[in-house]
Amino acid sequence: MFKRIRGLFSNDLSIDLGTANTLIYVRGQGIVLNEPSVVAIRQGREGNGAKPIAAVGMEAKQMLGRTPGHITAIRPLKDGVIADFTITEKMLQYFIHKVHANRFFHPSPRVLISVPCGSTQVERRAIRESAAGAGAREVHLIEEPMAAAIGAGMPVSEATGSMVLDIGGGTTEIGILSLNGIVYSESIRIGGDRFDEAIISYVRRHYSTLIGDATAERIKHEIGTAYPCKELREIHVRGRNLAEGIPRSFKLNSNEVLEALQEPLSGIVSAVKMALEKIPPELGSDIAEKGMVLTGGGALLGDLDRLLMEETGLPVIVADDPLTCVARGGGRALEIIEQHGVEVFSLDGN
Amino acid sequence: MTNLSSFIYPEETDKLNKIPVEDAESKQVDMKENPIDGTTMVNVDVANDDSNIIQTATESTDVEKNTTDEKAESNYKQDDTHIMQDTIMMTIEGDLIAKPESPEKEELTTDLTTMKPGEQLRYLREQKRFSAQQIADRLYLSLYIIQGIEADDYQHLPPSIFVRGYFRNYAKLLEIPVEPLLDAYTNLTGSKSLPPLTPQIKQKEQSKSSDSWVKAVTFTIVIVSMALMALWRIYPNINESDGETKEPANAELGEAVALPLQPFTPIALSEQPTDTNGDFMPPLEGSTEGDDVTSVLPLVGIPVDSTKTSEQVGVQPTTETTVETPAAPVDPRSMILHYQYESWTRVVDKNDKKVYEGIPKAGESISVKGEPPFKARFGVIEGISVEYKGAKTSLTDYDNLNGRSVTIGEAIVE
């Protein structure tokens, strides 16, 4: 009853609780928050198990790998699912409060959270309860491919197949949708993080140098490519030389990065091929005509669309603003839910 | 994954990049060929756009000359920078008409910024000597999609998101910046329209128990029925209390207990016994055999005649509520028995004719008529009082009480 009253003073939120970034979309306001899903915790001296939060989001991300003994910067989500329940709850609480800044009332919004389609009931329940613990009045879960397709602007409600490939930080979601429902979905635990790891291990193998996650991510952003391109780009990287134990600088070029990324990329390509094999032929022909859509941060990896085009022989396009597709799609789904009820989408539980 | 390096851009591309100076002639040819192909000529189009913009401002003669092919492009939105460019281009255009041999490079930029996005792509594709089929092959798209894009005919193409994606891929293939193209496309088609999300097949909605109107109706019904039940519960009480309070008022009219419904009470009273008689009549086995009137007044909890109660204080608990029996107290042929407890009773009259037999309930009063003296016999004698000839006497006070039998009254001597 009281929650409902507080709900009047809260916004409806669509949250893309991603492994790498958490995005919050507020109806009518657009994306209002886009921060890394990182929490820095101060080790409590009280010993009662309470873990005071030192920082959340961008601030905490800068602490990753650079923390003193009494602070730990952790990413509470791993492979698209919650690894640390209480920290996730704290993080969500922080973000929800941040979105509702300058409000007199304790916020109690209606929340729609996207979950990987491969997540188990236990994982979904964990996400639901985290959100409820963070003060949400009503929690809906939507599967990520659905949200991504809606956000990208694909005609998901039509009787025509739409294929979306959402490459996130922890997982890659493949979804084939028709008539507001998921015909086929597959979630593989390859994402941006795996790209970073692949780069780190490549550098260690070939340069005997250890680089951190942040550096690997920077390499990926700047010269990462999924397909050989004409111009060769280079980047200067610093890391700790394993033999000497001293930080050294060296050059890395885009072809090396391409080589490093072969393994995770082939995982994605084979999952896409598998999906295309398994769907009904009519939907397959729809997709072959229009093409598949790439969303998520992974879509920004250079020439990934070209790689998929060459490998599958299908048109591949990158959505507008691929990073925010899921959150925007969730926001749109919330609007539709408000107008037409929950039955419109195959939402998971209420 | 091993054949990744197999894709190399056509080698001509590099060569083609250098064309502007060398291929001045071929370019000119392209420009002339366009109208032959049936598509709008580049020059004409430029003029069209210009005319739309400048209409309100300066009516340039050049513009007037070139507005022969009027197309309605009212939805073509122009921002300030675009207008600026166009005015500059217009002068270039003027030069162009005056001196057809103007530098190729300038003409290229002029054309591109004012063309529709599809035309731009077509123009650039032809510049680079690709066929539409080649582009379709490289992008793995059907030829009709490429043709649709180049003709700016978006009606028959997939939704906006796909077209934007095709533009992106196409532009990447031609190695041109995509943003101007996308802006032009957005300008041409209006805002980024998102496809509808509601299902096309509209299900007929079934009314469910969760529907608000169902809830409202149910709630109303419940409230109304509760109100009715409450009224039903209260109303008889009012009725009873009305009757009870009115009777003394009626009986003691002189005491002026002015009740508003006073005039109607006699009617109510006369009706009440007859109404309730049928319901509450105790079993009267003998009542049918004789002609004597056996009237029973089953007035629950209501003793008779408050005026007489002073003599029998304590016998009746609620003495203020009384019923005036129709039988006159002074009539020796009638008597009234008041019961405090339930008791079997049989009354016979002078002729040994049974005038009453039954088990009146506690608090009940019965009226007995017959020829005195009455010989009565009771199951329990306690708590019974007899009202005879206007006097109310407890049964136990009778001298002639013999066990549980008593004789009341004397024979009337005519």
Side-chain angles (χ1 to χ4, degrees), chain A residues 227 230 289-290 318 320 340, chain B residues 7 144 164 166 168 198:
Chain A
Y227 200 73
K230 286 186 294 179
E289 191 187 332
K290 291 185 301 182
V318 179
D320 290 329
H340 301 274
Chain B
F7 172 66
Y144 86 91
R164 292 173 73 84
Y166 302 152
R168 228 176 248 127
T198 45

Side-chain angles (χ1 to χ4, degrees), chain B residues 313-347:
Chain B
V313 177
V315 176
Q316 297 302 330
T318 52
T319 46
E320 73 281 1
T321 59
T322 57
V323 175
E324 194 189 7
T325 50
V330 287
D331 184 6
R333 288 187 178 80
S334 157
M335 72 165 178
I336 298 167
L337 298 173
H338 300 282
Y339 289 83
Q340 210 167 0
Y341 309 108
E342 189 178 271
S343 170
W344 170 83
T345 307
R346 184 167 65 189
V347 183

Side-chain angles (χ1 to χ4, degrees), chain A residues 225-242:
Chain A
T225 178
Y227 200 73
C229 54
K230 286 186 294 179
E231 51 170 337
L232 203 65
R233 284 171 297 166
E234 286 184 336
I235 188 172
H236 280 277
V237 184
R238 283 188 198 82
R240 175 158 55 92
N241 190 297
L242 285 172

Side-chain angles (χ1 to χ4, degrees), chain A residues 150 152-153 156-157 180 227-228 230 262 289-290 303 305-307 309-310 313 315-318 320 332 340, chain B residues 1 4-5 7 9 138-141 144-145 159 161-162 164-166 168-169 172 175 194-198:
Chain A
I150 294 170
V156 287
S157 62
N180 280 342
Y227 200 73
K230 286 186 294 179
Q262 282 308 300
E289 191 187 332
K290 291 185 301 182
D303 283 332
D305 51 341
R306 175 50 65 186
L307 169 73
M309 258 193 257
E310 298 297 334
V316 178
I317 62 174
V318 179
D320 290 329
R332 244 188 118 208
H340 301 274
Chain B
M1 301 301 294
L4 287 186
S5 54
F7 172 66
Y9 283 97
R138 300 251 19 99
L139 297 180
Y140 298 95
L141 287 168
Y144 86 91
I145 290 180
I161 177 208
F162 290 102
R164 292 173 73 84
Y166 302 152
R168 228 176 248 127
N169 291 348
K172 208 164 154 190
E175 294 175 316
L194 293 168
L197 271 183
T198 45

Side-chain angles (χ1 to χ4, degrees), chain B residues 41 52 69 149 249 252 328 378:
Chain B
M41 195 177 150
N52 278 343
D69 189 3
I149 288 173
E252 304 159 8
F378 302 94

Side-chain angles (χ1 to χ4, degrees), chain A residues 30-310:
Chain A
I31 304 280
V32 293
L33 183 135
N34 182 357
E35 297 221 25
S37 310
V38 185
V39 181
I41 296 160
R42 203 183 299 280
Q43 295 299 329
R45 226 175 283 155
E46 307 90 79
N48 56 1
K51 291 173 180 173
I53 303 283
V56 181
M58 198 66 80
E59 208 183 326
K61 194 185 179 184
Q62 285 168 354
M63 297 183 186
L64 266 182
R66 298 186 176 110
T67 50
H70 67 286
I71 293 177
T72 342
I74 53 169
R75 299 172 63 172
L77 290 123
K78 212 164 182 62
D79 297 333
V81 296
I82 291 179
D84 191 324
F85 185 82
T86 45
I87 301 296
T88 308
E89 193 176 310
K90 287 264 171 63
M91 187 180 77
L92 272 178
Q93 207 165 9
Y94 174 86
F95 287 150
I96 288 175
H97 273 266
K98 196 169 177 186
V99 168
H100 287 91
N102 308 322
R103 294 293 173 102
F104 178 68
F105 283 90
H106 188 77
S108 177
R110 178 159 56 170
V111 165
L112 184 135
I113 300 182
S114 48
V115 291
C117 51
S119 57
T120 62
Q121 287 294 322
V122 178
E123 290 161 348
R124 285 171 196 222
R125 197 186 166 103
I127 289 179
R128 184 189 294 279
E129 291 190 354
S130 277
R137 146 176 117 253
E138 215 176 291
V139 185
H140 296 289
L141 300 183
I142 189 170
E143 297 195 317
E144 265 171 29
M146 176 61 98
I150 294 170
M154 294 169 84
V156 287
S157 62
E158 286 170 20
T160 165
S162 304
M163 180 165 178
V164 65
L165 186 66
D166 178 44
I167 305 171
T171 58
T172 291
E173 313 278 329
I174 300 163
I176 288 135
L177 310 129
S178 176
L179 293 171
N180 280 342
I182 292 177
V183 179
Y184 174 89
S185 70
E186 177 68 57
S187 177
I188 52 169
R189 304 211 159 171
I190 298 174
D193 290 350
R194 283 287 298 277
F195 294 159
D196 296 348
E197 284 167 25
I199 292 172
I200 291 171
S201 74
Y202 178 88
V203 169
R204 195 175 50 216
R205 243 189 351 260
H206 290 81
Y207 290 88
S208 302
T209 302
L210 210 56
I211 55 170
D213 287 338
T215 311
E217 197 177 351
R218 190 165 61 89
I219 295 169
K220 180 182 70 179
H221 285 166
E222 292 185 13
I223 60 165
T225 178
Y227 200 73
C229 54
K230 286 186 294 179
E231 51 170 337
L232 203 65
R233 284 171 297 166
E234 286 184 336
I235 188 172
H236 280 277
V237 184
R238 283 188 198 82
R240 175 158 55 92
N241 190 297
L242 285 172
E244 300 171 32
I246 296 169
R248 289 276 178 233
S249 176
F250 59 97
K251 260 197 271 181
L252 208 62
N253 68 37
S254 52
N255 275 353
E256 286 172 306
V257 177
L258 174 65
E259 199 185 327
L261 295 178
Q262 282 308 300
E263 193 239 317
L265 286 175
S266 63
I268 291 174
V269 168
S270 58
V272 169
K273 284 180 175 169
M274 180 81 81
L276 289 168
E277 260 173 44
K278 286 190 176 171
I279 55 170
E282 281 302 329
L283 293 181
S285 78
D286 289 341
I287 293 161
E289 191 187 332
K290 291 185 301 182
M292 70 180 92
V293 175
L294 294 187
T295 66
L300 296 174
L301 184 69
D303 283 332
L304 183 61
D305 51 341
R306 175 50 65 186
L307 169 73
L308 287 165
M309 258 193 257
E310 298 297 334

